[in-house]
Amino acid sequence: MWHSLHGNKDVNMVPHLVTALSGPLLDLEEKILAATPAIERWFRLEWQEHTPPFYCSVDMRNAGYKLAPVDTNLFPGGFNMLATEMLPLSVQAAMAAIDKYCPDARNLLLIPEITQRHPTYWQNVARLMQIFRQTGLHVRLGSLSPDVTQPTPIALPDGNMLVVEPLVRSPNGRRVGLKDFDPCTILLNNDLSAGIPDILQNIHEQSLLPPLHAGWALRRKSNHMNAYDEVVKKFGKLIGVDPWMLNPFHAKCDAVNFRTGEGYECLAANVDALLAKIKKKYKEYGIKDQKPFVIVKPDAGTYGTSILTIKDSSEIKDLTQAQRDKMIVIKDGKEVTDFIIQEGVPTFESIESAVAEPVVYMIDRYVVGGFYRIHAEKGIDQNLNAPGSQYVPLAFAQQHAVPDLKAKPGTAAPNRFYVYGVVARLALLAASLEMERTDPNPEVY
């Protein structure tokens, strides 16, 4: 069964959602829909005070009793997963974003990941280039890889070709570009997990987006979650809901060594404390059929690696050697010692019996689409960002479309997607606060 978002058109299909259609989420959905004018006004006022990240994707979990963002990515790599019908919206949002930084922009330099061998990642890069070319920009690709010393072709699965070129510093040392290409704006689609390369340091005359401190070399999830706590508290007050309905509890532990067991006491104590808080909430809301669990993951970026699902603190000391090894190193061979413990939010959504979670994409302050990440081999309490995951595009109702307020809660796809968009924008606003507060050069902001 498929729903269409725009009347009788066959385009813009959205998958039929099997979801928990009873309980507090419907109450939450009703409250959000009823408060739409107040919510949109509130966001407008917030965006007068804060600059949204250039682009962003948010992984969410709908547990039926709560809907919460569980990961906020400032270097989204799945633009190719968005429904093609959403392209015009992406182009409009990209224009608004570029205008802020470089109104007379002609050239955009896009810097992709260097470790990505996967063809779908390069399709994402191709889609980004398509979006920015449609805003009227010349777009070329510059690589941080020392192996790229001349223009290098990359074949795409659809038969098209991309070319990555070596980056060069301008003679005055203040700008970065390519041979014969001087960009006004440099867009990073590389999360800098491996550290900040010298060639990107001390750029004074160009906009580097997102800024260097958005990369995992400096960024910490715990900072983001602290900012999200604040945002969701204000939002909860605005619409009259318990912020917990939109927010996973969290804690952090530094100096954990899964090789030696150092720092296990901190993990165990925080796991116990969080499980007790979750139990209390479950009791308050009469949630009986879900056992509390937490997720332990690195405080700095992951690609869905180094993640544990834990239901009891005793599991920490009983980890197998293989599990411990998995927790020690993340992307680009970086060793991890700082971890966050996050309330586990099960997902009660499924598509054709595969467990699903929504991922929402934004450019500037606009929702431009999203997709479901689905995984046939994972359970409702497991991380779905793992090998074997698949993607189903979500055609979000346009931002300006009025939700269908007459529909019964839980029955209208546009309403559900509007609610996803609201919660994703709360995470976007939190990312904006996080970037302001962690900026090493605030006066430049």
Side-chain angles (χ1 to χ4, degrees):
M1 166 68 184
W2 294 77
H3 297 295
S4 166
L5 274 192
H6 293 286
N8 301 321
K9 286 187 191 172
D10 290 333
V11 297
N12 237 352
M13 300 298 239
V14 296
H16 177 55
L17 215 49
V18 183
T19 184
L21 289 181
S22 59
L25 189 62
L26 298 190
D27 183 42
L28 181 66
E29 191 172 291
E30 274 187 274
K31 281 188 169 146
I32 287 176
L33 293 170
T36 296
I39 290 169
E40 294 305 325
R41 179 174 179 273
W42 181 77
F43 272 123
R44 273 198 302 278
L45 295 174
E46 289 292 336
W47 294 130
Q48 284 171 18
E49 301 294 319
H50 307 287
T51 305
F54 188 82
Y55 53 10
C56 177
S57 68
V58 178
D59 295 5
M60 292 160 87
R61 305 279 283 210
N62 170 3
Y65 54 84
K66 78 186 285 177
L67 173 67
V70 292
D71 222 355
T72 302
N73 183 358
L74 298 180
F75 299 87
F79 278 93
N80 54 310
M81 308 292 184
L82 305 186
T84 47
E85 297 83 12
M86 304 310 287
L87 260 179
L89 203 53
S90 299
V91 172
Q92 271 180 312
M95 277 180 177
I98 288 285
D99 275 354
K100 274 184 194 165
Y101 298 97
C102 194
D104 60 346
R106 274 195 298 272
N107 296 337
L108 177 80
L109 175 63
L110 181 56
I111 299 181
E113 291 279 355
I114 53 179
T115 51
Q116 286 285 358
R117 302 278 176 264
H118 211 286
T120 53
Y121 173 73
W122 292 106
Q123 286 171 301
N124 153 71
V125 171
R127 172 63 70 86
L128 273 173
M129 291 178 81
Q130 181 189 5
I131 289 168
F132 287 103
R133 281 181 175 148
Q134 287 185 16
T135 69
L137 292 169
H138 298 290
V139 188
R140 280 164 67 176
L141 296 176
S143 178
L144 288 167
S145 170
D147 302 333
V148 175
T149 53
Q150 59 189 29
T152 305
I154 290 168
L156 296 175
D158 61 7
N160 285 323
M161 196 73 86
L162 295 177
V163 176
V164 291
E165 303 175 62
L167 294 175
V168 291
R169 201 86 191 208
S170 64
N172 71 3
R174 295 172 68 82
R175 298 175 74 87
V176 168
L178 308 173
K179 188 172 180 261
D180 314 321
F181 188 74
D182 183 20
C184 161
T185 307
I186 300 163
L187 181 60
L188 287 171
N189 198 243
N190 178 316
D191 65 17
L192 306 179
S193 288
I196 297 172
D198 288 345
I199 197 159
L200 295 183
Q201 308 263 21
N202 303 313
I203 294 174
H204 299 293
E205 297 175 1
Q206 293 157 299
S207 298
L208 184 63
L209 304 166
L212 292 177
H213 67 285
W216 288 123
L218 298 171
R219 187 178 175 220
R220 294 296 174 265
K221 290 179 185 174
S222 47
N223 290 332
H224 176 76
M225 288 173 173
N226 292 337
Y228 186 76
D229 286 346
E230 284 174 47
V231 166
V232 86
K233 214 171 268 174
K234 279 167 77 173
F235 182 78
K237 203 172 272 179
L238 175 79
I239 66 163
V241 301
D242 178 351
W244 177 75
M245 293 285 181
L246 300 157
N247 192 11
F249 290 134
H250 67 94
K252 67 177 276 199
C253 282
D254 301 336
V256 177
N257 187 327
F258 276 92
R259 262 197 198 95
T260 63
E262 187 190 341
Y264 275 15
E265 305 75 26
C266 175
L267 277 181
N270 277 294
V271 167
D272 283 337
L274 278 192
L275 289 172
K277 279 171 83 173
I278 300 165
K279 259 189 202 118
K280 206 170 155 195
K281 281 291 180 189
Y282 281 10
K283 199 171 171 198
E284 184 184 335
Y285 289 103
I287 298 157
K288 295 189 175 74
D289 50 359
Q290 177 59 44
K291 192 171 162 47
F293 67 100
V294 296
I295 301 289
V296 176
K297 57 186 177 182
D299 201 6
T302 79
Y303 259 100
T305 54
S306 308
I307 291 179
L308 287 174
T309 298
I310 290 187
K311 295 181 175 159
D312 190 282
S313 62
S314 64
E315 293 169 36
I316 294 166
K317 59 178 190 308
D318 297 336
L319 291 174
T320 64
Q321 188 61 49
Q323 285 173 311
R324 290 208 300 272
D325 290 346
K326 194 181 82 166
M327 298 302 287
I328 291 164
V329 176
I330 53 166
K331 187 183 163 209
D332 293 337
K334 285 278 168 200
E335 290 224 356
V336 199
T337 56
D338 297 355
F339 288 86
I340 53 167
I341 304 103
Q342 191 176 7
E343 173 186 346
V345 183
T347 176
F348 277 93
E349 296 190 309
S350 63
I351 291 172
E352 291 172 2
S353 78
V355 175
E357 66 186 10
V359 183
V360 177
Y361 270 58
M362 290 158 288
I363 296 178
D364 197 73
R365 60 196 175 96
Y366 306 100
V367 172
V368 297
F371 50 81
Y372 276 107
R373 182 185 285 125
I374 62 176
H375 207 304
E377 280 124 54
K378 296 286 185 182
I380 62 168
D381 58 357
Q382 288 178 298
N383 166 47
L384 305 189
N385 188 5
S389 57
Q390 294 173 298
Y391 302 89
V392 178
L394 271 177
F396 272 71
Q398 292 232 353
Q399 203 59 51
H400 316 293
V402 179
D404 179 1
L405 297 178
K406 293 193 188 76
K408 269 174 60 184
T411 60
N415 288 1
R416 179 56 53 87
F417 298 156
Y418 174 75
V419 171
Y420 288 164
V422 167
V423 178
R425 284 182 289 159
L426 293 176
L428 182 75
L429 181 55
S432 170
L433 297 178
E434 171 203 0
M435 288 296 99
E436 284 168 27
R437 289 166 188 179
T438 56
D439 192 343
N441 310 303
E443 72 282 356
V444 179
Y445 226 79

